[in-house]
Amino acid sequence: MDVIPRSSPHAARVAHVVLVRFRPDVAKPEIESVFKALEQLRDTVPGITRIRTGSNSSPEALGRGYDHLFIVDFASIAARDAYLKDQRHAAVAQQLLSLADGGTDGLIVADLDRGK
């Protein structure tokens, strides 16, 4: 478990977790490109404290084809809500959806609100 003190600059109020099942024909460079675009949002969208991207490394074999994921940490619920409406996020989301197996069917999204 990744425990970060609430006083840390990486402390997050909301963790936005997205599991991705890419289409079988999507090449590794395309995945890297969309994740790089996502990671760049941290520098342009206020309230993002950290973004982590990568492959599912669980040894449990319960991923059901969702072999990649990313986590966007936000300083507040308001920051998360603003991100969801942000045009820069929308552009990256469209890129991701074009690569996901079945569009939105290739995504699982959940948010963890860590409270105050």
Side-chain angles (χ1 to χ4, degrees):
M1 176 186 285
D2 187 17
V3 178
I4 299 172
R6 293 194 191 278
S7 60
S8 165
H10 294 297
R13 167 82 192 269
V14 178
H16 180 68
V17 181
V18 180
L19 286 80
V20 184
R21 185 180 61 227
F22 287 103
R23 292 189 330 265
D25 64 312
V26 175
K28 185 176 180 178
E30 292 176 287
I31 295 169
E32 291 170 352
S33 176
V34 73
F35 279 172
K36 182 176 180 181
L38 180 69
E39 290 165 359
Q40 290 172 341
L41 292 176
R42 181 172 183 220
D43 299 328
T44 59
V45 178
I48 295 175
T49 60
R50 180 170 59 169
I51 297 178
R52 293 167 281 169
T53 63
S55 299
N56 182 356
S57 63
S58 174
E60 296 179 288
L62 297 173
R64 298 184 179 150
Y66 294 88
D67 293 332
H68 293 82
L69 66 141
F70 60 91
I71 303 169
V72 183
D73 292 327
F74 295 95
S76 66
I77 290 174
R80 187 266 328 264
D81 292 349
Y83 161 86
L84 294 175
K85 297 175 187 174
D86 191 283
Q87 292 302 312
R88 294 162 289 203
H89 164 257
V92 175
Q94 284 299 331
Q95 183 183 1
L96 179 66
L97 284 170
S98 74
L99 302 175
D101 190 13
T104 57
D105 287 342
L107 301 176
I108 296 176
V109 180
D111 289 354
L112 176 63
D113 181 354
R114 298 185 67 214
K116 293 182 180 181

